[in-house]
Amino acid sequence: MPKFYARGRLSVLAGLTGLIATAALFNSPSASAALPTPIAGSTARSYLSQLTVAAEDRTGYSRDKFPTWITIEGTCNTREYIIKRDGTNVVTNSACTATSGSWYSPYDGATWTSASDVDIDHLVPLAEAWDSGASKWTTAQRQAFANDVTRPQLLAVTDNVNQSKGDQDPATWIPSRTAYDCTYVRAWVQVKYYYNLSVDPAEKTALQKDLSGC
């Protein structure tokens, strides 16, 4: 069961309520900051030392077991929320679809002027979460994880970069833009710790190496 239940943190229902509350950001004519600032490097190293190390098991995984995208408010779903949050001067229509704006992808440093050129990345991929503990969750818990805009888990990035990343963990994939690597691994550990997800041995080794300079 995710740590956020054991520690008395927000329940799934409370978390979803928080998603609705954050929809107020849509009232702003310009975008706010992108990915929520992850924990400090020292905190990430401490958290990493507390994560369970275990082999991964993808038996039974299906993306459909992580419902996305949920409606946040009116016609706006989670993807549209992140598109608005991570973009600059984003304009949306009555269906909450972005009609203009620009998006900077921190993974590769590219800037796009069409929302169709960016994907919403699950920083800790859904399959990775399944492999490391989410297979034991309820569908409601997996839905909360897949639509979590409070933790540094969702961000808009170049579509083909996101597709290239796929379900890989930091042992085999980190952003090509090295200036973002420290942010990425700090966020990775924060999400895994919050949701009480395990790490496999190679993943932990890679995270220890990457965090050493953070």
Side-chain angles (χ1 to χ4, degrees):
M1 181 172 290
K3 281 193 175 75
F4 66 115
Y5 295 104
R7 293 181 182 139
R9 298 176 179 174
L10 294 176
S11 66
V12 169
L13 291 178
L16 294 179
T17 300
L19 292 179
I20 295 171
T22 54
L25 291 175
F26 280 101
N27 295 327
S28 173
S30 60
S32 60
L35 189 75
T37 303
I39 54 176
S42 58
T43 305
R45 288 189 289 273
S46 175
Y47 282 5
L48 178 59
S49 70
Q50 299 174 55
L51 294 180
T52 299
V53 178
E56 296 181 349
D57 182 1
R58 194 158 297 185
T59 304
Y61 170 72
S62 169
R63 188 180 179 90
D64 293 340
K65 294 180 179 179
F66 293 81
T68 57
W69 302 110
I70 65 169
T71 298
I72 294 183
E73 181 179 69
T75 59
C76 300
N77 64 26
T78 313
R79 173 184 162 83
E80 291 154 347
Y81 171 83
I82 299 297
I83 288 291
K84 179 69 174 178
R85 185 198 72 182
D86 290 6
T88 301
N89 298 323
V90 177
V91 176
T92 59
N93 61 20
S94 59
C96 206
T97 301
T99 58
S100 64
S102 64
W103 291 268
Y104 174 78
S105 170
Y107 286 179
D108 57 338
T111 298
W112 305 96
T113 55
S114 174
S116 63
D117 288 323
V118 298
D119 282 352
I120 306 305
D121 180 44
H122 288 93
L123 192 139
V124 174
L126 303 183
E128 169 70 24
W130 177 272
D131 296 350
S132 51
S135 60
K136 300 178 178 66
W137 297 353
T138 65
T139 299
Q141 289 169 329
R142 289 192 289 266
Q143 175 175 289
F145 175 83
N147 296 277
D148 187 352
V149 299
T150 303
R151 261 59 55 184
Q153 163 66 351
L154 296 171
L155 70 163
V157 299
T158 302
D159 53 3
N160 63 347
V161 172
N162 182 48
Q163 292 152 24
S164 171
K165 171 188 171 182
D167 300 328
Q168 298 180 80
D169 68 31
T172 55
W173 193 94
I174 56 173
S176 61
R177 182 172 161 263
T178 56
Y180 201 70
D181 290 353
C182 186
T183 299
Y184 185 82
V185 293
R186 284 157 47 212
W188 183 281
V189 171
Q190 180 176 347
V191 171
K192 282 233 163 173
Y193 181 83
Y194 183 84
Y195 285 98
N196 196 22
L197 297 170
S198 63
V199 290
D200 65 47
E203 177 187 356
K204 182 172 184 177
T205 296
L207 288 166
Q208 287 173 324
K209 178 181 177 182
D210 293 332
L211 284 170
S212 65
C214 294

